[in-house]
Amino acid sequence: MSRRRKDGAASPLVLRLEALQQATELGQGRVTETGIEEAQSVVERASARRSFSAEHTVVGFFGATGSGKSSLFNAVTGHNLARAAATRPTTSEPLAGIWEAEGAAELLDWLQVGERHQLAEPLGTVKPGLMRRNRESASGLILLDLPDVDSTTAANRETSTRLAGQVDVLVWVLDPQKYADAAVHHDFIRPMSSYSGVTLVVLNQIDRLGADSRGPVLKSLRSILEAEGLRRPRILAVSATSGEGIEGLREAIAAVAVEHSASTDRLLQDVAAAADALAAGETAVDPGASRAWESGLALPQVAAERRLSEQLAEASGVATVVEATRKSYRLKARARTGWPVTRWLGRLRPDPLRRLNLSSTDVNPAVNRTSLPPPGPAQRAQADSAVRAYAELAGSGAPEAWRGSIRRAARASSDTLTDTLDQAIARTDIGAGRGSWWWPIVGVLQWIALAVALGGVGWLGVLALMGYLQLDVPSAPRVEGFPVPTLMLVGGVLLGIVLGLATGLLARMAASRRARVARRRLTASISRVARRGVAEPVAAEVQRFNDFADAVRRARG
């Protein structure tokens, strides 16, 4: 097969490797380190494998002690290359039988296979109809005989384990006596059950079974393999001693070698397995989590962010500022529009906004804090609860690991949230230094009323003094029978009282409006803090999960 054709076949592999790499980067700190390490290992291994010969297929023989693996290797190759023994393992280093050695050296170096044997005779042919081409020999094949997977020597087991993760095709060699051996099934076949597409299972020494026993043993083996997770396992019954089934095994291996796709198929399954490892435990049991995994998470609605802002506003003392704004306005209104004789008494009362250090001329929010009471345990708990509820809503249905990361994102600014909210309140223009247009008008009217009353008092005083001194007292002008000085006194006082009552009602109405404006502006400022400190980090983490889930789906293919 040409390199051009191979590259075309590898195009889906490249895309899935890129998706796996993206999922690995997005999952850092969110999914298990084991999953991250496995995915990184697959990316590195795939990169290395694709850099070597694409025309060679590496087939590894794996088996336990006594399975006849080396004898089977010799029977398949037609040469006594591997040392065989009935009881003790004799293979301590992997050895290779190579058909078409050109281009295989670097690949074998990567596999760390030192003993190599070049073979000239064709391994076998592919029957017509199995391939696009009618008959082809298995060129570009590397057959490996490997140490026993249950070897008492740790180095031998490590070599088998390493090569099980590197070869293109796995051939598990079992024998009738130990075909259910836990060492092989639990430690190797079960963990690698996802590689069904590049796995062959060979029941060797079939000649040791009677004709009546073969069917039940093969049926039992198939049920065990399916229970281990192998889908539609391909089982071949052979005998390295008698030669029974050897030709069929050669043809099966030749078919794989002729296709030249085993390495790509193996890497694709590596990528899928790594993607599954990244998502291990991420597909939660509840249907909501499954939907989130398949279609992604949705950001909380605007109403949820509004509730968050309202709860943070309540916890940060906005209600205290709003009430202080109301009282401050009424206090200033009385000071500007009250009865001039008594309005000075209002100045003795402290301005509530000034006490909170929220007078527009007294606080620099960049460096100063307000004098609001520090949040107590109840307020802190309320703020924490609001942030947590928002995070839980955003992560609803997400896997637990990602719900945790969303909670951490929501609480990332929790240490500075109190100060940030305080500064937001201090920066908000609540109209602390502004009055109302009618204050000067009413103030002038009050002074006029006072002047009129004082004029009446003075006039009456002059008349009383003249009478006391026994002087001729001129008659005071009258209006409708009432002396003008008396009318001036009574009228001025009554006008002051009426203005006071009217402006008091007007001040209360205006103070309520000023308080509503202050609440709206303060809530808007708190909303900006909530968005920057909580909603935006949560949105970024939700988007990260959605990108991760999409990358995992693409890597799984």
Side-chain angles (χ1 to χ4, degrees), residues 268-293:
L268 285 172
Q269 293 182 46
D270 278 341
V271 172
D276 288 338
L278 279 178
E282 303 302 312
T283 51
V285 176
D286 61 281
S290 299
R291 288 193 299 271
W293 186 254

Side-chain angles (χ1 to χ4, degrees), residues 94-107:
L95 63 88
I98 310 167
W99 286 264
E100 192 176 315
E102 183 180 355
E106 290 183 351
L107 177 56

Side-chain angles (χ1 to χ4, degrees), residues 60-63 66-85 91 99 123 143-145 171-175 200-206 236-250 253:
F61 278 24
F62 299 86
S67 63
K69 173 173 48 63
S70 296
S71 299
L72 183 62
F73 179 86
N74 290 337
V76 171
T77 61
H79 298 275
N80 290 323
L81 304 178
R83 290 178 297 165
T91 304
W99 286 264
L123 174 65
L143 202 61
L144 299 182
D145 182 33
V171 178
W172 299 108
V173 181
L174 308 174
D175 66 271
L200 292 174
V201 180
V202 177
L203 183 63
N204 192 20
Q205 304 171 7
I206 194 67
L236 299 173
V238 305
S239 171
T241 302
S242 67
E244 181 182 353
I246 296 299
E247 188 59 33
L249 177 57
R250 286 174 177 165
I253 295 174

Side-chain angles (χ1 to χ4, degrees), residues 326 329-334 337 436 438-439 500-514:
R326 185 196 314 275
Y329 182 90
R330 292 181 62 183
L331 184 65
K332 291 178 180 179
R334 284 195 296 270
T337 64
S436 293
W438 53 270
W439 286 4
L501 294 174
T503 55
L505 178 61
L506 187 59
R508 283 193 294 272
M509 296 172 57
S512 297
R513 181 180 179 278
R514 183 67 59 87

Side-chain angles (χ1 to χ4, degrees), residues 461-476:
V462 169
L463 293 178
L465 179 62
M466 292 178 65
Y468 179 77
L469 296 175
Q470 301 296 311
L471 298 175
D472 292 333
V473 180
S475 298

